[in-house]
Every structure is written in structure tokens, then in C-alpha cells.
Amino acid sequence: EDQVTQSPEALRLQEGESSSLNCSYTVSGLRGLFWYRQDPGKGPEFLFTLYSAGEEKEKERLKATLTKKESFLHITAPKPEDSATYLCAVQVREETSGSRLTFGEGTQLTVNP
Amino acid sequence: ETGVTQTPRHLVMGMTNKKSLKCEQHLGHNAMYWYKQSAKKPLELMFVYSLEERVENNSVPSRFSPECPNSSHLFLHLHTLQPEDSALYLCASSPRLAGGIRDTQYFGPGTRLTVL
């Protein structure tokens, strides 16, 4: 059974304090790994897709990396507006639903000013 | 409007009511999805549609009934719900739905449903 585990469950940082969020996965036939940001009461907002081990993508203060077993979302010098829940999802090979995503439970990030 | 829109944004209903959730995508996508998001749980895929045809139903109770009249619109009809059905219901769309194709799903803002 495909599994996606995110850690930590919650993370509190001071503004400017860099850290990383982890997403570990156990799936057969990974097609892609997705990171989303979700603000309270809103839908997930797409951030990155990673397709192969060694790949990295950056957007402002965020950098996502991928290995064969896990992905990291690095946050450099975070600001209070980076506070949100960050969701990781994996896409696996399927015959009927090629865009099926399996989500982790998310990491709730709070950045204090 | 752009992106994926959902109405209503908030809904309170009794267990005997019948209501519908609406989703509309303005992205020209061919696949649409319904997800349920409960507190402290991962997003749960409920239904998948491709070109108005349902391709997956993840063992969802029959009190949830989806409808996809065209590739831009998706409905979720609700009847005789239970309090445990209270959650955030999210709609998403992606360009295509085909085995092995890597397509990003874009989400709407969700409908916060409360069942009394």
C-alpha cells in the first residue's frame, strides 16, 4: 500500500530561522512528487513537482529536493507570511487514474515575527 | 473568473436535507476530482471524472452522488448526511487523465460543510 508520511506534524520558527520539512514515501512506481501550500479555510496551492531523484526546484524562500525515499522542503529565512500547512503528495502509476495523488497529513508551519 | 471556483463556500445542513456543491474550472482541463479533507487526516480522494465520465469511485457512501455534465462543471449532490461527513470538500482539475501522464492538479477554495 502506498504511504506518505510528513514530519514534523507542526513546526514553529522565528522569522529568519531556516529549517526543513520532510516527506518520506513508500510507493511502487513513483511518477512525481508534489508540494502544496494550504492556508486555513482555503484549497491547496500548487508549489512544485519533482520527478526524479536528485532534482531540485526553488521558488523564493522555498527549495524542494527529492531522493529515492523522501523529499525535503527547505525554507530559508522564513517570514510570517510563510505560515501555512505544507502538503506533500505522490503520484503513482495507475491504469485508470493516471493523475491519482496520495497525500500526507501535512506539516503546519508557524513563523513568528 | 480564473482557476477553479466552488460554491457555496460554507454550508450548514441537517441530516434530512438535500443540497448540492458546485465546482467550475476555467482552465480548459479535462479531468476533475472531488476530495474530502477532515481535521488531522490526509486528503481523501472521493471521485474522479475524465471527459465527463466517472473513472473512479473510492468506496464513497451512496449519500454522496457526483455529476459531471461537461468538462468544466462538477457537482456533488448530498442527501441524508451524517455529522461525521462534516469536512472541507475540495474540487480539483488537471489537464488530462491518462495512465502515466504527469499532470498537476489545481484546487478550488473548498466548501466547508457542517452537518447538524
Side-chain angles (χ1 to χ4, degrees):
Chain A
E1 184 180 335
D2 300 333
Q3 283 195 325
V4 180
T5 304
Q6 290 189 246
S7 62
E9 186 175 319
L11 180 63
R12 284 186 175 274
L13 299 174
Q14 289 299 122
E15 185 171 2
E17 179 186 1
S18 301
S19 187
S20 296
L21 312 183
N22 178 265
C23 172
S24 62
Y25 59 90
T26 306
V27 299
S28 55
L30 178 73
R31 282 291 182 180
L33 187 141
F34 296 76
W35 282 99
Y36 287 86
R37 169 194 170 127
Q38 186 173 24
D39 293 299
K42 296 187 177 181
E45 175 189 344
F46 170 71
L47 293 174
F48 303 108
T49 310
L50 302 167
Y51 294 117
S52 57
E55 188 174 0
E56 298 181 352
K57 288 194 177 173
E58 289 188 64
K59 179 180 180 180
E60 296 180 354
R61 295 177 292 282
L62 300 177
K63 178 181 177 180
T65 61
L66 181 65
T67 72
K68 289 186 178 180
K69 294 184 178 181
E70 60 192 347
S71 176
F72 292 94
L73 185 65
H74 307 279
I75 304 177
T76 302
K79 298 182 178 181
E81 52 262 43
D82 295 321
S83 298
T85 296
Y86 290 85
L87 302 174
C88 168
V90 296
Q91 183 184 47
V92 298
R93 291 189 186 92
E94 285 213 13
E95 292 300 319
T96 56
S97 19
S99 288
R100 180 188 181 116
L101 296 179
T102 299
F103 280 85
E105 294 186 11
T107 293
Q108 185 174 355
L109 173 66
T110 304
V111 182
N112 296 314
Chain B
E1 285 207 65
T2 59
V4 181
T5 58
Q6 291 186 243
T7 55
R9 294 295 312 277
H10 300 273
L11 179 62
V12 179
M13 59 187 290
M15 289 191 287
T16 59
N17 291 158
K18 288 185 179 181
K19 296 287 184 183
S20 295
L21 309 184
K22 179 183 176 182
C23 174
E24 185 173 358
Q25 59 96 359
H26 309 268
L27 300 169
H29 289 170
N30 289 321
M32 298 187 77
Y33 313 77
W34 279 117
Y35 286 88
K36 176 183 179 182
Q37 187 175 36
S38 304
K40 303 294 185 182
K41 292 178 68 176
L43 269 73
E44 301 172 54
L45 180 65
M46 301 175 70
F47 300 102
V48 181
Y49 275 84
S50 174
L51 295 172
E52 303 113 61
E53 179 181 342
R54 188 191 310 179
V55 296
E56 185 162 345
N57 171 356
N58 267 9
S59 302
V60 178
S62 59
R63 57 186 184 269
F64 295 92
S65 175
E67 178 190 0
C68 188
N70 55 63
S71 60
S72 298
H73 294 86
L74 185 65
F75 295 89
L76 188 62
H77 303 299
L78 316 171
H79 63 97
T80 59
L81 294 191
Q82 305 298 312
E84 59 264 30
D85 296 322
S86 298
L88 182 67
Y89 288 84
L90 292 161
C91 173
S93 70
S94 66
R96 292 158 299 185
L97 179 68
I101 299 296
R102 305 162 179 175
D103 278 310
T104 300
Q105 292 184 23
Y106 295 91
F107 286 83
T111 294
R112 173 65 64 186
L113 174 67
T114 303
V115 182
L116 301 176

